[in-house]
Amino acid sequence: MKVVVRLDVMLAKRKMKSKDLAEHVGITVQNLSLLKTGNLKGMRFATLAKICEVLECQPGDILEVVPDEDG
């Protein structure tokens, strides 16, 4: 199983740019980019909560657990 980040979908639905979300959340655009590509090793729950607050969504709207493609 792996976690897929669907942050781009929520940003598009909210018509918000990554730069604006990063400013509102208090993280760098680079860290937000790492999150969007799934290359982030970890994230604080406080950061996830702030992202959800700004985007007016639930964690499940931006994070999805899917089976591995090879199995």
Side-chain angles (χ1 to χ4, degrees):
M1 301 292 264
K2 65 179 180 177
V3 176
V4 177
V5 181
R6 308 252 186 244
L7 189 54
D8 281 337
V9 174
M10 284 308 299
L11 284 168
K13 284 183 179 180
R14 301 298 187 245
K15 297 182 171 110
M16 182 179 282
K17 295 181 180 182
S18 296
K19 178 184 174 216
D20 297 328
L21 178 60
E23 280 182 20
H24 287 298
V25 173
I27 61 176
T28 66
V29 175
Q30 292 82 5
N31 279 341
L32 188 61
S33 178
L34 289 172
L35 173 60
K36 286 172 37 179
T37 59
N39 291 326
L40 198 63
K41 300 270 187 209
M43 177 174 39
R44 295 182 183 274
F45 283 129
T47 303
L48 178 59
K50 187 66 177 175
I51 289 170
C52 290
E53 178 184 329
V54 172
L55 293 176
E56 298 177 350
C57 68
Q58 293 294 314
D61 295 326
I62 57 175
L63 300 174
E64 181 181 0
V65 178
V66 297
D68 288 326
E69 293 175 6
D70 58 359

